[in-house]
Amino acid sequence: MTRNKQLEDLHEVIRNCTLCPLHETRINAVPGEGPATSRVMFVGEAPGAREDESGRPFVGKSGELLTSMIQEIGLSRETVFITSILKSRPPKNRTPTQFEISACRPYLERQIEIINPKVVVLLGGVAISSLVGPWKLSEAHGRFYETDNRTYFMTYHPAAALRIPKVKKSMQEDFQILSQELV
Ligand code: URA
């Protein structure tokens, strides 16, 4: 089976998922999007209102900023894979629970396995703590972390960068560090 087909089949399972109570309140599950051959994968926290309505990741204000930061380092949104730790929106965008994160985790693990990216970029504290452990964001950002034959890169979530200009600047600097690894 091609990687594309494996990813499509997985995404169909995610769209119909009922493993946690979020399936009762969501409009659409948001598996993620991008080529099955992406070298870079971006992982956020959870879908928001716009993502829930459209079924697509990072299409709201945070998504606009993420897309422009991706472009600033010479990549395009169409060539990277974008997803989040949770595939369904928590009501009122509350922080994901440990139960939801654990229930959703095999989906992200399978996406990483199929795509086999060179770098998995973790956007913000929830993505970082879910995949590589309890780092302080102020110490983690701008760093690569290798574990289980995977390379992760830790940075801020674009929603924080939208609120705090200093964080936006740090995140842009982090993206420059990331881009050097991708040449
Ligand atoms: N924030 C996220 O973490 N993921 C999305 O898909 C949208 C906003």
Side-chain angles (χ1 to χ4, degrees), residues 55-103:
R56 296 183 56 211
F58 279 102
V59 288
K61 284 263 175 285
S62 291
E64 274 173 33
L65 181 58
L66 178 64
T67 304
S68 76
M69 286 191 176
I70 288 170
Q71 288 165 350
E72 274 169 31
I73 57 167
L75 299 175
S76 76
R77 192 180 153 112
E78 290 68 39
T79 61
V80 300
F81 193 84
I82 302 180
T83 188
S84 295
I85 293 288
L86 293 194
K87 312 306 192 198
S88 298
R89 182 192 183 198
K92 298 185 185 152
N93 301 341
R94 63 155 170 73
T95 301
T97 65
Q98 205 49 57
F99 179 80
E100 291 156 1
I101 292 172
S102 304

Side-chain angles (χ1 to χ4, degrees), residues 11-84:
H11 290 186
E12 197 49 33
V13 172
I14 294 172
R15 283 188 201 99
N16 294 303
C17 179
T18 57
L19 288 179
C20 86
L22 295 181
H23 78 274
E24 291 166 5
T25 48
R26 75 177 177 228
I27 302 169
N28 289 294
V30 184
E33 66 185 20
T37 50
S38 300
R39 288 174 76 227
V40 193
M41 186 164 168
F42 291 87
V43 181
E45 178 174 320
R50 294 279 312 277
E51 291 77 21
D52 186 42
E53 282 161 15
S54 64
R56 296 183 56 211
F58 279 102
V59 288
K61 284 263 175 285
S62 291
E64 274 173 33
L65 181 58
L66 178 64
T67 304
S68 76
M69 286 191 176
I70 288 170
Q71 288 165 350
E72 274 169 31
I73 57 167
L75 299 175
S76 76
R77 192 180 153 112
E78 290 68 39
T79 61
V80 300
F81 193 84
I82 302 180
T83 188
S84 295

